[in-house]
Amino acid sequence: MSRLSDIIERFIKELMRDANTDMLEIQRNELADHFNCAPSQINYVLSTRFTVDKGYYIVSRRGGGGFIRIMKLDTETIPFVGYLIFEHIGDSISQLDASRILANIEEKGIITPRERAIMEAATNGRSLNVFSPPKDVVRAKLLKSMLSVLITD
Amino acid sequence: MSRLSDIIERFIKELMRDANTDMLEIQRNELADHFNCAPSQINYVLSTRFTVDKGYYIVSRRGGGGFIRIMKLDTETIPFVGYLIFEHIGDSISQLDASRILANIEEKGIITPRERAIMEAATNGRSLNVFSPPKDVVRAKLLKSMLSVLITD
DNA sequence: TAATATTAATAGTCAAAGAAAGTCAAACAG
DNA sequence: CTGTTTGACTTTCTTTGACTATTAATATTA
């Protein structure tokens, strides 16, 4: 008996293939119903099979009319970025190396100077300099840092 | 199933755009009738989508001939972002609030959709979901996450 | 007529119910 | 032991409705 998670994974991928799209919106409960499983099973599938590392990006919203949007990253469009994400960067990277990458892809015209600045802001030491981080505290620093780029000349 | 609140929000914004004005007066009950909903639904839409944070200001009057006046504030980019950074955000911010701010400044044209996506990527839960973080590990996640935006449709 | 009271027409508030999705840990299977 | 499945509990967002508050118009009274 093939694992349920695998079946759901295949199902989602087939939906995308059949609809010939890189973006799919599902209702968690509906899908869970379809497979007769706990809704949280869907979360499990998404968080193990549809990660950035595996080439997917997820956005969702709760409440009435909520949804889960699954986006497939298009590695054809910018192969170099795909290479960076899936092969080059790995599980850990120094600030210096990150900065080099950003400079490089800006020079290649893949990102604008402003976008580079945003990413520098997010990844520099100042933003990430927290020890035991209440997540929101980190996030606030990150966001402020990124926003400040917009008003710096 | 698109949310009623979203539909009403769009309706109001289109009214303003079409009339090419920054000031619009509506009758609460009339609008509620038009959408076949509870009048207080209109209040809900106004108080979640037309806040000062989002650049709108509301004035209203009850009684016969009452009305709700919706004014779009002319927020100068720099002061507004400065306000966000130095006053509004504070020391801690939830992912949700961060997301709202980003949606807002995109709508105002302060950042591009792509820049918004970059910042969302940097500030969402998945990126920051680390407890005792070797800084580089966090950074790698962040960077990958941000880069992935570039190859998302 | 001028002042005052009443009524009808609005809008506001708040809390409960409903509709999703998220989290986490325990149980389970290979 | 690792990865999967489940379910109880939480959080977020929306919708509705009963009740309240305010204002303009109208009727009444001094």
Side-chain angles (χ1 to χ4, degrees):
Chain A
M1 225 238 280
S2 204
R3 285 189 224 73
L4 217 209
S5 290
D6 291 341
I7 294 170
I8 296 175
E9 175 189 8
R10 216 176 322 124
F11 182 80
I12 292 174
K13 287 180 176 166
E14 267 161 24
L15 273 187
M16 292 185 96
R17 191 169 43 63
D18 292 352
N20 194 35
T21 177
D22 285 351
M23 198 275 274
L24 183 66
E25 270 181 20
I26 59 168
Q27 310 278 136
R28 189 181 73 151
N29 290 341
E30 200 179 89
L31 197 56
D33 252 29
H34 184 261
F35 287 103
N36 237 303
C37 64
S40 53
Q41 176 84 49
I42 307 301
N43 295 84
Y44 179 73
V45 173
L46 293 177
S47 65
T48 55
R49 272 96 160 154
F50 292 85
T51 63
V52 169
D53 281 323
K54 299 196 166 141
Y56 292 87
Y57 190 70
I58 309 280
V59 165
S60 67
R61 196 145 151 214
R62 310 186 192 191
F67 60 84
I68 298 177
R69 181 180 304 149
I70 305 167
M71 288 169 285
K72 184 173 187 180
L73 304 179
D74 180 5
T75 48
E76 293 307 304
T77 308
I78 310 175
F80 186 62
V81 175
Y83 158 73
L84 291 175
I85 293 176
F86 302 123
E87 310 197 22
H88 186 64
I89 295 177
D91 289 335
S92 165
I93 188 172
S94 71
Q95 180 179 340
L96 202 60
D97 286 342
S99 190
R100 282 196 189 109
I101 288 174
L102 291 175
N104 184 221
I105 62 179
E106 184 203 325
E107 200 183 323
K108 283 192 166 62
I110 293 175
I111 56 174
T112 66
R114 213 164 84 131
E115 286 161 356
R116 173 191 171 184
I118 291 170
M119 297 194 209
E120 291 273 8
T123 54
N124 73 22
R126 274 177 300 287
S127 299
L128 295 169
N129 212 357
V130 233
F131 285 115
S132 56
K135 212 193 290 180
D136 288 2
V137 174
V138 182
R139 181 153 39 227
K141 284 192 188 215
L142 269 172
L143 186 59
K144 277 187 194 182
S145 205
M146 283 187 287
L147 288 172
S148 71
V149 165
L150 303 177
I151 53 173
T152 308
D153 41 4
Chain B
M1 219 217 298
S2 203
R3 294 183 203 73
L4 217 210
S5 292
D6 290 344
I7 294 169
I8 296 174
E9 175 190 8
R10 219 177 315 128
F11 182 80
I12 293 174
K13 285 180 177 167
E14 268 162 24
L15 275 187
M16 292 185 97
R17 192 169 43 63
D18 293 352
N20 194 35
T21 177
D22 285 351
M23 199 275 275
L24 182 66
E25 273 181 18
I26 58 170
Q27 311 277 137
R28 190 181 73 150
N29 290 341
E30 198 178 274
L31 197 56
D33 252 29
H34 184 263
F35 287 104
N36 235 303
C37 64
S40 53
Q41 176 85 49
I42 306 301
N43 295 83
Y44 177 72
V45 172
L46 293 177
S47 65
T48 55
R49 273 97 160 150
F50 293 86
T51 62
V52 171
D53 269 4
K54 296 190 169 155
Y56 291 87
Y57 190 68
I58 308 282
V59 166
S60 67
R61 185 116 133 243
R62 310 185 191 191
F67 59 86
I68 298 177
R69 181 181 304 152
I70 305 167
M71 287 169 286
K72 190 169 184 176
L73 299 176
D74 174 28
T75 43
E76 291 294 315
T77 300
I78 303 288
F80 187 63
V81 174
Y83 158 73
L84 291 176
I85 294 175
F86 299 117
E87 310 199 24
H88 187 63
I89 294 177
D91 289 335
S92 165
I93 188 171
S94 71
Q95 178 179 339
L96 206 60
D97 286 341
S99 187
R100 286 198 184 107
I101 288 173
L102 292 175
N104 178 223
I105 63 179
E106 183 204 324
E107 198 185 323
K108 283 193 169 56
I110 294 174
I111 56 174
T112 66
R114 214 165 82 135
E115 286 161 354
R116 173 193 173 180
I118 291 170
M119 299 192 205
E120 291 272 6
T123 55
N124 75 21
R126 275 176 294 285
S127 300
L128 294 170
N129 215 356
V130 233
F131 285 115
S132 56
K135 213 193 293 180
D136 289 3
V137 174
V138 182
R139 182 154 39 227
K141 283 195 188 212
L142 269 172
L143 186 57
K144 276 188 193 180
S145 208
M146 283 189 288
L147 288 172
S148 75
V149 165
L150 302 178
I151 53 175
T152 307
D153 305 351

